[in-house]
Amino acid sequence: METPQETDRGERGERNESGYALDDAGVDLMQEQVNAVQQRLLDRFEAESQISSQAHAPVREAAFRRWLGEASGMLLGDLRQARTELADFTLIPFAQGQRRLCVALRRADHAIDLVLADPFDRGTRQWIESRLREGGHPRTRWYVATTGDVQAFYGRLERETRALAADTGGLTGDGERGDSGTLELSLAQISADESPVVRFLNGTLYDALQAQASDIHLECGPRGLVVKYRLDGVLQSVSRPEGREFADRVISRLKVLADLDISERRVPQDGRLKLSRSGREIDVRVSIMPSSYGEDAVLRVLDRYQLAADQTLSVDHLGFDAHAAAFIRRLAQMPYGLLLVTGPTGSGKTTTLYGVLSEIHTGQDKMITIEDPVEYQLPDVLQIPVNEAKGLTFARGLRSILRHDPDRIMVGEMRDAETAQIAVQAALTGHQVYATVHANNVFDVIGRLASMGVDPYNLVAALNGVVAQRLVRVICPHCTEPVKPDLELLTASGLDETVFDLPWRFQRGRGCSHCRGTGYKGRRAIAQTMALDIELKSLIAERASPALLRAAAEKRGLITLRQAALDFVKAGVTTLEEANRVTAVQE
Ligand SMILES: [Zn+2]
């Protein structure tokens, strides 16, 4: 039977050639699904309209379109004219949109146009509505289009991406892996791939990069895989494809990409893979861990390009307040000595040091870094990646660096006694050393170094200052609104109603499509800084208790991280909840 859709510029034929083999038997499930939708709509059209099945194809097509609009009560959306770059894949991911025959288009007025091929498919509508809820209820308009139009739209999108990728040299043409062993990620590649597992994994990676996730979590649960992204430091659930077997196959596929042992499922494994998107190379660290339901994987995205291409990389990059930025600059420019930056993983310590190095790098100093891994490539700086497997540890690398006539050295992380001692020694012998240490605040750093066996006299002689930092999520500027925190929250935050008499600007983010419904967009750093003067130095050398040290530092105007976070609340930069998430009330 001739269908109206088939008159539509032959898109379907093209589709069938490229094929959508969704399972190993090679059955074209997706096309079958699409055909079934089409047939269902046509049957209904024929039953409800008076158009004879003998009518001319163009006449039937026009009648079908008209009927579609009337029966669904929706306007007809003209996808044939729609610009493909407006497609919003955070709302409707490419692969799912193709399968469910729907498109989300982001309009200039920030509203979303949703276009459906099957307006009677309640499953898809409910799925979109749940995505909209997660996306913070953006303003929407619903439209209906023919299956042919939706397929044609995705076809056009693929061709355009392919052309774009070819232009930028981002497409290898033959396979998924380029010559350099890099996994190419483009929409064209993702949708053209035969295996649903490959398509799912590639689609997830693509989507995560698009969302600027720092980590991707693939967790195996009783019902299948759960995918989460870490966005601005907070985990967010993204999708839950059903089925244990599918989950296993996704993890196996990931192991293949990361050069890991696919048959080993009982011990943790670590590997790496390289992604390429629009000609950009992105390193990903892969960690696999056995779990009760199979294996979990965490992928850490190391996107060097972002900073390397950023000409203005500086101490201000993380949004420190003026006081903290000035402090860091002053200490960074000292001719020799040790500057320590501390905080938990993901608090931006390394980024701060990159900002420092970029600012003070004049080309007249020899700068060497040792890192695990090298997160961002800095121009004209010798950067050495730690390679424990090959015996290049922090300590060994640092010792070699000292023979390489450096002026300034960055130690990615001081985590063992030997490294700490060499670093302190280097700072004492006329080098400027920048390093990160894991500790909670500026006082714990001192204790941490003492526990690594660093002599307190050497430490005070070398140490110029300590910066403790955290990253705080900033309220989304698109949906910020005033809010009055309730008493319970105030009490939990160590405050009371008297703050309402003070000029605090309590704000919150309502949640919108710009912030994926979270109410936050971007982060800024808060810092606790401590410069060491004679009195503090002698207290440390005498191994004074942290309480004593703290009292002395507070006399010098030391601000706690908690106070810094509350200053952001006061100014309407972040919420009280976020301040509580990042810093403890008692600090
Ligand atoms: Zn928002």
Side-chain angles (χ1 to χ4, degrees):
M1 189 196 86
E2 192 191 42
T3 65
Q5 282 72 23
E6 277 173 344
T7 61
D8 210 323
R9 298 183 306 282
E11 282 298 331
R12 281 197 43 215
E14 214 169 284
R15 274 314 156 99
N16 284 334
E17 275 163 41
S18 64
Y20 279 109
L22 282 192
D23 65 9
D24 297 331
V27 180
D28 197 341
L29 275 180
M30 187 189 280
Q31 192 54 49
E32 232 169 56
Q33 217 174 328
V34 170
N35 291 347
V37 169
Q38 212 163 0
Q39 197 54 52
R40 206 163 55 231
L41 290 170
L42 276 175
D43 288 349
R44 198 160 159 176
F45 163 64
E46 251 151 50
E48 290 179 12
S49 70
Q50 267 77 53
I51 286 287
S52 134
S53 56
Q54 309 302 315
H56 247 352
V59 175
R60 267 171 58 85
E61 158 129 28
F64 178 77
R65 284 177 189 275
R66 228 180 8 258
W67 168 82
L68 206 52
E70 282 162 13
S72 66
M74 290 180 190
L75 289 173
L76 280 173
D78 196 354
L79 275 181
R80 289 172 294 188
Q81 307 295 327
R83 283 182 12 239
T84 50
E85 65 269 24
L86 296 178
D88 183 341
F89 298 118
T90 54
L91 193 60
I92 297 184
F94 184 79
Q96 307 215 43
Q98 241 185 351
R99 188 152 40 90
R100 292 178 179 270
L101 291 167
C102 52
V103 178
L105 297 171
R106 189 172 290 277
R107 294 303 185 181
D109 59 356
H110 298 305
I112 307 265
D113 285 356
L114 293 158
V115 191
L116 303 177
D118 185 356
F120 313 110
D121 173 4
R122 284 183 54 199
T124 292
R125 290 188 66 157
Q126 283 167 355
W127 174 76
I128 296 178
E129 270 154 17
S130 75
R131 304 276 307 180
L132 287 170
R133 270 195 302 280
E134 286 167 23
H137 301 284
R139 220 147 33 81
T140 52
R141 291 179 289 251
W142 294 73
Y143 293 94
V144 66
T146 63
T147 38
D149 281 357
V150 174
Q151 284 208 302
F153 179 83
Y154 279 111
R156 200 144 54 85
L157 191 69
E158 274 177 43
R159 282 194 301 277
E160 284 170 10
T161 338
R162 205 173 289 153
L164 198 70
D167 276 352
T168 55
L171 195 74
T172 49
D174 50 336
E176 63 194 13
R177 274 200 168 210
D179 294 337
S180 54
T182 303
L183 174 66
E184 302 284 345
L185 285 185
S186 69
L187 288 173
Q189 293 277 2
I190 292 164
S191 55
D193 206 283
E194 303 239 317
S195 145
V197 171
V198 173
R199 251 191 303 140
F200 172 79
L201 186 60
N202 291 5
T204 300
L205 294 173
Y206 184 92
D207 185 47
L209 295 184
Q210 200 86 342
Q212 299 190 315
S214 61
D215 303 79
I216 307 159
H217 292 232
L218 302 171
E219 299 169 0
C220 287
R223 292 176 58 201
L225 208 58
V226 181
V227 182
K228 296 173 185 168
Y229 298 161
R230 189 174 292 280
L231 297 168
D232 285 341
V234 178
L235 269 189
Q236 264 193 61
S237 199
V238 183
S239 64
R240 301 174 174 269
E242 298 261 314
R244 293 271 292 277
E245 201 208 321
F246 182 78
D248 286 348
R249 286 167 62 194
V250 170
I251 300 286
S252 297
R253 168 76 191 159
L254 183 61
K255 285 178 168 172
V256 170
L257 291 178
D259 274 334
L260 297 174
D261 182 355
I262 189 169
S263 61
E264 179 55 80
R265 307 181 46 152
R266 285 174 211 84
V267 296
Q269 296 189 64
D270 294 308
R272 303 187 76 119
L273 69 101
K274 257 193 178 44
L275 302 177
S276 154
R277 195 187 53 163
S278 321
R280 274 176 59 175
E281 282 217 338
I282 297 154
D283 271 333
V284 176
R285 208 155 47 162
V286 180
S287 160
I288 311 268
M289 191 75 81
S291 72
S292 341
Y293 297 103
E295 288 169 296
D296 285 7
V298 174
L299 290 80
R300 162 146 289 198
V301 181
L302 305 167
D303 195 351
R304 308 172 185 171
Y305 185 88
Q306 249 169 12
L307 275 185
D310 188 346
Q311 298 303 313
T312 60
L313 177 62
S314 73
V315 173
D316 299 321
H317 190 83
L318 289 177
F320 284 110
D321 66 30
H323 171 80
F327 175 91
I328 295 169
R329 283 205 175 91
R330 188 161 56 78
L331 290 193
Q333 280 156 5
M334 302 267 220
Y336 58 89
L338 181 62
L339 171 61
L340 291 175
V341 181
T342 187
T345 306
S347 58
K349 303 186 290 281
T350 319
T351 309
T352 298
L353 288 186
Y354 281 122
V356 163
L357 291 185
S358 305
E359 276 192 16
I360 60 178
H361 193 31
T362 56
Q364 292 168 350
D365 288 339
K366 177 98 176 173
M367 251 184 219
I368 308 180
T369 75
I370 178 150
E371 305 170 62
D372 182 23
V374 172
E375 284 180 47
Y376 308 109
Q377 266 155 2
L378 298 164
D380 296 326
V381 176
L382 173 56
Q383 292 178 278
I384 304 167
V386 161
N387 189 337
E388 306 248 345
K390 293 253 159 70
L392 180 57
T393 59
F394 269 112
R396 188 168 159 199
L398 189 52
R399 221 178 273 121
S400 307
I401 287 175
L402 289 174
R403 290 192 287 270
H404 219 78
D405 188 28
D407 297 294
R408 298 178 192 270
I409 304 164
M410 171 180 140
V411 181
E413 193 188 333
M414 278 190 352
R415 59 184 173 207
D416 61 280
E418 204 183 351
T419 307
Q421 287 163 15
I422 307 169
V424 167
Q425 213 54 47
L428 285 174
T429 51
H431 304 93
Q432 175 64 278
V433 181
Y434 311 97
T436 78
V437 191
H438 265 282
N440 286 325
N441 56 49
V442 296
F443 307 107
D444 288 350
V445 172
I446 311 291
R448 180 106 168 81
L449 288 177
S451 76
M452 286 186 206
V454 174
D455 178 73
Y457 286 101
N458 282 346
L459 179 60
V460 294
L463 195 58
N464 289 332
V466 189
V467 179
Q469 71 176 63
R470 298 283 188 281
L471 290 175
V472 175
R473 287 185 296 167
V474 171
I475 297 170
C476 169
H478 301 282
C479 60
T480 181
E481 63 183 19
V483 66
K484 192 171 178 190
D486 57 33
L487 198 56
E488 205 179 321
L489 177 60
L490 283 181
T491 315
S493 316
L495 300 170
D496 57 45
E497 281 150 306
T498 56
V499 290
F500 294 134
D501 304 329
L502 302 170
W504 285 45
R505 262 187 82 219
F506 288 110
Q507 299 282 120
R508 67 151 189 185
R510 204 170 43 249
C512 69
S513 58
H514 295 275
C515 55
R516 287 185 159 230
T518 58
Y520 300 97
K521 198 160 173 63
R523 287 185 290 178
R524 280 183 64 181
I526 52 169
Q528 178 183 41
T529 53
M530 183 169 75
L532 294 182
D533 61 12
I534 298 284
E535 194 191 337
L536 286 177
K537 283 191 175 197
S538 58
L539 279 172
I540 293 171
E542 289 157 16
R543 295 178 191 260
S545 71
L548 218 68
L549 199 58
R550 184 184 194 119
E554 272 169 3
K555 257 196 290 180
R556 289 161 176 75
L558 176 101
I559 338 171
T560 62
L561 286 165
R562 179 67 186 173
Q563 283 164 332
L566 289 182
D567 281 345
F568 271 180
V569 175
K570 208 186 292 181
V573 173
T574 194
T575 62
L576 206 44
E577 287 91 342
E578 177 68 1
N580 291 349
R581 184 183 73 84
V582 176
T583 62
V585 177
Q586 300 297 332
E587 238 186 47

Short mmCIF file of all heavy atoms in Angstrom, two decimals, residues 453-497:
data_model
loop_
_atom_site.label_atom_id
_atom_site.label_comp_id
_atom_site.label_asym_id
_atom_site.label_seq_id
_atom_site.Cartn_x
_atom_site.Cartn_y
_atom_site.Cartn_z
N GLY A 453 55.91 13.21 58.37
CA GLY A 453 57.29 13.21 58.82
C GLY A 453 58.08 14.44 58.41
O GLY A 453 59.31 14.44 58.47
N VAL A 454 57.38 15.51 57.99
CA VAL A 454 58.10 16.74 57.64
C VAL A 454 58.49 17.44 58.94
O VAL A 454 57.66 17.64 59.83
CB VAL A 454 57.23 17.67 56.77
CG1 VAL A 454 57.93 19.00 56.54
CG2 VAL A 454 56.90 17.00 55.44
N ASP A 455 59.72 17.80 59.05
CA ASP A 455 60.22 18.47 60.25
C ASP A 455 59.55 19.84 60.40
O ASP A 455 59.54 20.63 59.46
CB ASP A 455 61.73 18.64 60.12
CG ASP A 455 62.30 19.38 61.31
OD1 ASP A 455 62.37 18.75 62.38
OD2 ASP A 455 62.63 20.57 61.16
N PRO A 456 58.95 20.14 61.58
CA PRO A 456 58.23 21.40 61.73
C PRO A 456 59.11 22.63 61.47
O PRO A 456 58.62 23.63 60.94
CB PRO A 456 57.71 21.37 63.16
CG PRO A 456 58.16 20.12 63.78
CD PRO A 456 58.84 19.27 62.76
N TYR A 457 60.39 22.57 61.84
CA TYR A 457 61.27 23.73 61.59
C TYR A 457 61.46 23.95 60.11
O TYR A 457 61.39 25.08 59.61
CB TYR A 457 62.62 23.53 62.29
CG TYR A 457 62.52 23.69 63.77
CD1 TYR A 457 62.46 22.59 64.60
CD2 TYR A 457 62.47 24.98 64.33
CE1 TYR A 457 62.33 22.75 65.96
CE2 TYR A 457 62.35 25.14 65.69
CZ TYR A 457 62.27 24.02 66.51
OH TYR A 457 62.14 24.18 67.86
N ASN A 458 61.69 22.86 59.40
CA ASN A 458 61.82 22.97 57.94
C ASN A 458 60.53 23.51 57.32
O ASN A 458 60.55 24.35 56.43
CB ASN A 458 62.13 21.61 57.32
CG ASN A 458 63.58 21.24 57.50
OD1 ASN A 458 64.41 22.11 57.85
ND2 ASN A 458 63.90 19.98 57.30
N LEU A 459 59.41 22.97 57.82
CA LEU A 459 58.12 23.37 57.26
C LEU A 459 57.89 24.87 57.41
O LEU A 459 57.56 25.56 56.45
CB LEU A 459 56.98 22.58 57.92
CG LEU A 459 55.58 22.94 57.41
CD1 LEU A 459 55.46 22.69 55.91
CD2 LEU A 459 54.51 22.16 58.16
N VAL A 460 58.09 25.39 58.63
CA VAL A 460 57.83 26.83 58.82
C VAL A 460 58.82 27.68 58.04
O VAL A 460 58.49 28.76 57.56
CB VAL A 460 57.82 27.27 60.30
CG1 VAL A 460 56.66 26.65 61.03
CG2 VAL A 460 59.12 26.97 60.99
N ALA A 461 60.03 27.15 57.87
CA ALA A 461 61.01 27.92 57.11
C ALA A 461 60.61 27.97 55.63
O ALA A 461 60.85 28.96 54.94
CB ALA A 461 62.39 27.28 57.25
N ALA A 462 59.98 26.90 55.15
CA ALA A 462 59.66 26.84 53.72
C ALA A 462 58.31 27.46 53.39
O ALA A 462 58.13 28.04 52.32
CB ALA A 462 59.66 25.37 53.28
N LEU A 463 57.35 27.30 54.32
CA LEU A 463 55.96 27.60 53.98
C LEU A 463 55.66 29.11 53.91
O LEU A 463 55.89 29.84 54.86
CB LEU A 463 55.06 26.95 55.04
CG LEU A 463 53.58 26.82 54.72
CD1 LEU A 463 53.36 26.04 53.44
CD2 LEU A 463 52.85 26.16 55.87
N ASN A 464 55.16 29.55 52.77
CA ASN A 464 54.73 30.95 52.64
C ASN A 464 53.28 31.13 53.05
O ASN A 464 52.91 32.13 53.64
CB ASN A 464 54.87 31.43 51.20
CG ASN A 464 56.32 31.61 50.80
OD1 ASN A 464 57.17 31.89 51.66
ND2 ASN A 464 56.61 31.45 49.53
N GLY A 465 52.46 30.17 52.72
CA GLY A 465 51.05 30.30 53.07
C GLY A 465 50.23 29.12 52.61
O GLY A 465 50.71 28.26 51.87
N VAL A 466 48.99 29.08 53.11
CA VAL A 466 48.09 27.97 52.78
C VAL A 466 46.75 28.54 52.32
O VAL A 466 46.26 29.52 52.87
CB VAL A 466 47.84 27.08 54.02
CG1 VAL A 466 47.09 25.82 53.61
CG2 VAL A 466 49.13 26.73 54.73
N VAL A 467 46.19 27.92 51.30
CA VAL A 467 44.85 28.27 50.83
C VAL A 467 43.99 27.02 50.93
O VAL A 467 44.36 25.98 50.41
CB VAL A 467 44.88 28.72 49.35
CG1 VAL A 467 43.48 29.06 48.86
CG2 VAL A 467 45.84 29.88 49.14
N ALA A 468 42.86 27.11 51.63
CA ALA A 468 41.90 26.00 51.61
C ALA A 468 40.73 26.47 50.76
O ALA A 468 40.29 27.61 50.89
CB ALA A 468 41.43 25.69 53.02
N GLN A 469 40.26 25.61 49.87
CA GLN A 469 39.18 26.08 49.01
C GLN A 469 38.08 25.06 48.79
O GLN A 469 38.25 23.87 49.00
CB GLN A 469 39.74 26.56 47.67
CG GLN A 469 40.26 25.45 46.76
CD GLN A 469 40.70 26.01 45.42
OE1 GLN A 469 41.63 26.81 45.34
NE2 GLN A 469 40.03 25.57 44.36
N ARG A 470 36.92 25.55 48.38
CA ARG A 470 35.76 24.74 48.02
C ARG A 470 35.10 25.41 46.82
O ARG A 470 35.26 26.61 46.63
CB ARG A 470 34.71 24.74 49.14
CG ARG A 470 35.14 24.16 50.44
CD ARG A 470 35.17 22.65 50.43
NE ARG A 470 35.40 22.14 51.78
CZ ARG A 470 36.60 22.11 52.37
NH1 ARG A 470 37.65 22.57 51.73
NH2 ARG A 470 36.73 21.63 53.58
N LEU A 471 34.32 24.63 46.10
CA LEU A 471 33.53 25.22 45.02
C LEU A 471 32.06 25.21 45.43
O LEU A 471 31.53 24.20 45.87
CB LEU A 471 33.71 24.42 43.72
CG LEU A 471 35.09 24.55 43.07
CD1 LEU A 471 35.18 23.63 41.86
CD2 LEU A 471 35.36 25.98 42.65
N VAL A 472 31.43 26.35 45.26
CA VAL A 472 30.04 26.52 45.65
C VAL A 472 29.21 26.75 44.39
O VAL A 472 29.59 27.56 43.55
CB VAL A 472 29.90 27.75 46.58
CG1 VAL A 472 28.45 28.02 46.91
CG2 VAL A 472 30.71 27.55 47.85
N ARG A 473 28.11 26.04 44.26
CA ARG A 473 27.26 26.26 43.08
C ARG A 473 26.58 27.61 43.16
O ARG A 473 26.13 28.04 44.23
CB ARG A 473 26.20 25.16 42.97
CG ARG A 473 26.78 23.83 42.51
CD ARG A 473 25.70 22.81 42.32
NE ARG A 473 25.03 22.51 43.58
CZ ARG A 473 23.88 21.84 43.67
NH1 ARG A 473 23.27 21.42 42.57
NH2 ARG A 473 23.34 21.60 44.83
N VAL A 474 26.50 28.27 42.02
CA VAL A 474 25.94 29.61 41.95
C VAL A 474 24.50 29.51 41.45
O VAL A 474 24.20 28.71 40.55
CB VAL A 474 26.80 30.46 40.97
CG1 VAL A 474 26.15 31.80 40.69
CG2 VAL A 474 28.21 30.64 41.52
N ILE A 475 23.61 30.31 42.00
CA ILE A 475 22.20 30.28 41.59
C ILE A 475 22.09 30.65 40.10
O ILE A 475 22.73 31.60 39.63
CB ILE A 475 21.37 31.26 42.44
CG1 ILE A 475 21.39 30.84 43.90
CG2 ILE A 475 19.93 31.34 41.93
CD1 ILE A 475 20.81 31.85 44.86
N CYS A 476 21.28 29.89 39.37
CA CYS A 476 21.09 30.13 37.93
C CYS A 476 20.53 31.53 37.71
O CYS A 476 19.50 31.89 38.28
CB CYS A 476 20.14 29.06 37.38
SG CYS A 476 19.57 29.40 35.72
N PRO A 477 21.19 32.34 36.89
CA PRO A 477 20.72 33.72 36.70
C PRO A 477 19.38 33.78 35.95
O PRO A 477 18.69 34.79 36.02
CB PRO A 477 21.84 34.36 35.86
CG PRO A 477 22.50 33.21 35.18
CD PRO A 477 22.40 32.05 36.12
N HIS A 478 19.01 32.69 35.28
CA HIS A 478 17.78 32.72 34.47
C HIS A 478 16.53 32.48 35.30
O HIS A 478 15.44 32.78 34.85
CB HIS A 478 17.86 31.68 33.35
CG HIS A 478 19.03 31.89 32.44
ND1 HIS A 478 19.03 32.85 31.47
CD2 HIS A 478 20.23 31.28 32.38
CE1 HIS A 478 20.19 32.82 30.84
NE2 HIS A 478 20.94 31.88 31.37
N CYS A 479 16.71 31.88 36.49
CA CYS A 479 15.49 31.56 37.25
C CYS A 479 15.64 31.94 38.72
O CYS A 479 15.00 31.36 39.58
CB CYS A 479 15.14 30.08 37.09
SG CYS A 479 16.40 28.94 37.67
N THR A 480 16.51 32.90 39.01
CA THR A 480 16.72 33.29 40.41
C THR A 480 15.51 34.08 40.91
O THR A 480 14.89 34.83 40.15
CB THR A 480 18.03 34.09 40.56
OG1 THR A 480 18.20 34.42 41.94
CG2 THR A 480 18.04 35.36 39.73
N GLU A 481 15.15 33.86 42.18
CA GLU A 481 14.03 34.59 42.78
C GLU A 481 14.26 34.68 44.28
O GLU A 481 14.96 33.85 44.86
CB GLU A 481 12.71 33.88 42.47
CG GLU A 481 12.64 32.48 43.08
CD GLU A 481 11.35 31.74 42.71
OE1 GLU A 481 10.69 32.13 41.75
OE2 GLU A 481 11.04 30.76 43.42
N PRO A 482 13.67 35.69 44.92
CA PRO A 482 13.86 35.84 46.36
C PRO A 482 13.16 34.69 47.10
O PRO A 482 12.18 34.15 46.61
CB PRO A 482 13.17 37.16 46.68
CG PRO A 482 12.89 37.80 45.38
CD PRO A 482 12.84 36.74 44.35
N VAL A 483 13.69 34.34 48.24
CA VAL A 483 13.07 33.27 49.03
C VAL A 483 13.28 33.60 50.50
O VAL A 483 14.25 34.27 50.86
CB VAL A 483 13.70 31.91 48.66
CG1 VAL A 483 15.16 31.84 49.08
CG2 VAL A 483 12.94 30.76 49.30
N LYS A 484 12.31 33.18 51.34
CA LYS A 484 12.48 33.39 52.78
C LYS A 484 12.73 32.03 53.41
O LYS A 484 11.83 31.20 53.46
CB LYS A 484 11.23 34.05 53.37
CG LYS A 484 11.49 34.55 54.77
CD LYS A 484 10.36 35.39 55.30
CE LYS A 484 10.69 35.79 56.73
NZ LYS A 484 9.59 36.41 57.43
N PRO A 485 13.95 31.76 53.87
CA PRO A 485 14.23 30.45 54.44
C PRO A 485 13.39 30.22 55.69
O PRO A 485 13.15 31.16 56.45
CB PRO A 485 15.72 30.49 54.78
CG PRO A 485 16.16 31.89 54.61
CD PRO A 485 15.10 32.67 53.93
N ASP A 486 12.91 28.95 55.89
CA ASP A 486 12.10 28.70 57.08
C ASP A 486 12.99 28.51 58.31
O ASP A 486 14.21 28.39 58.20
CB ASP A 486 11.15 27.52 56.87
CG ASP A 486 11.90 26.26 56.49
OD1 ASP A 486 13.04 26.10 56.95
OD2 ASP A 486 11.35 25.45 55.71
N LEU A 487 12.32 28.49 59.44
CA LEU A 487 13.04 28.48 60.71
C LEU A 487 13.94 27.25 60.84
O LEU A 487 15.06 27.32 61.33
CB LEU A 487 12.02 28.53 61.85
CG LEU A 487 12.60 28.96 63.21
CD1 LEU A 487 13.28 30.31 63.10
CD2 LEU A 487 11.48 29.01 64.24
N GLU A 488 13.40 26.12 60.38
CA GLU A 488 14.13 24.86 60.48
C GLU A 488 15.47 24.97 59.76
O GLU A 488 16.51 24.57 60.28
CB GLU A 488 13.28 23.77 59.83
CG GLU A 488 13.57 22.38 60.35
CD GLU A 488 12.67 21.36 59.67
OE1 GLU A 488 11.49 21.68 59.44
OE2 GLU A 488 13.16 20.28 59.32
N LEU A 489 15.43 25.52 58.55
CA LEU A 489 16.65 25.66 57.76
C LEU A 489 17.62 26.62 58.44
O LEU A 489 18.83 26.38 58.49
CB LEU A 489 16.31 26.14 56.34
CG LEU A 489 17.48 26.42 55.40
CD1 LEU A 489 18.32 25.17 55.18
CD2 LEU A 489 16.98 26.94 54.06
N LEU A 490 17.07 27.71 58.98
CA LEU A 490 17.92 28.69 59.67
C LEU A 490 18.64 28.04 60.85
O LEU A 490 19.84 28.18 61.02
CB LEU A 490 17.08 29.86 60.18
CG LEU A 490 16.63 30.91 59.15
CD1 LEU A 490 15.83 32.00 59.84
CD2 LEU A 490 17.82 31.50 58.42
N THR A 491 17.86 27.28 61.65
CA THR A 491 18.45 26.62 62.82
C THR A 491 19.53 25.63 62.38
O THR A 491 20.62 25.61 62.94
CB THR A 491 17.35 25.86 63.61
OG1 THR A 491 16.22 26.73 63.71
CG2 THR A 491 17.84 25.49 64.99
N ALA A 492 19.20 24.84 61.35
CA ALA A 492 20.18 23.87 60.85
C ALA A 492 21.43 24.56 60.33
O ALA A 492 22.50 23.97 60.26
CB ALA A 492 19.54 23.02 59.75
N SER A 493 21.30 25.82 59.94
CA SER A 493 22.44 26.56 59.40
C SER A 493 23.15 27.37 60.47
O SER A 493 24.04 28.16 60.16
CB SER A 493 21.97 27.51 58.30
OG SER A 493 21.06 26.88 57.44
N GLY A 494 22.71 27.20 61.73
CA GLY A 494 23.35 27.95 62.81
C GLY A 494 22.95 29.42 62.83
O GLY A 494 23.69 30.26 63.35
N LEU A 495 21.78 29.72 62.25
CA LEU A 495 21.32 31.11 62.23
C LEU A 495 19.98 31.20 62.97
O LEU A 495 19.41 30.19 63.37
CB LEU A 495 21.12 31.58 60.79
CG LEU A 495 22.33 31.55 59.85
CD1 LEU A 495 21.89 31.82 58.42
CD2 LEU A 495 23.36 32.59 60.29
N ASP A 496 19.46 32.41 63.15
CA ASP A 496 18.11 32.56 63.67
C ASP A 496 17.42 33.72 62.97
O ASP A 496 17.99 34.33 62.07
CB ASP A 496 18.12 32.75 65.20
CG ASP A 496 18.98 33.94 65.60
OD1 ASP A 496 18.84 35.00 64.95
OD2 ASP A 496 19.80 33.81 66.53
N GLU A 497 16.19 34.01 63.40
CA GLU A 497 15.37 34.99 62.67
C GLU A 497 15.95 36.40 62.63
O GLU A 497 15.51 37.22 61.85
CB GLU A 497 13.97 35.05 63.27
CG GLU A 497 13.10 33.91 62.84
CD GLU A 497 12.09 33.56 63.91
OE1 GLU A 497 12.50 33.32 65.07
OE2 GLU A 497 10.90 33.58 63.59
#
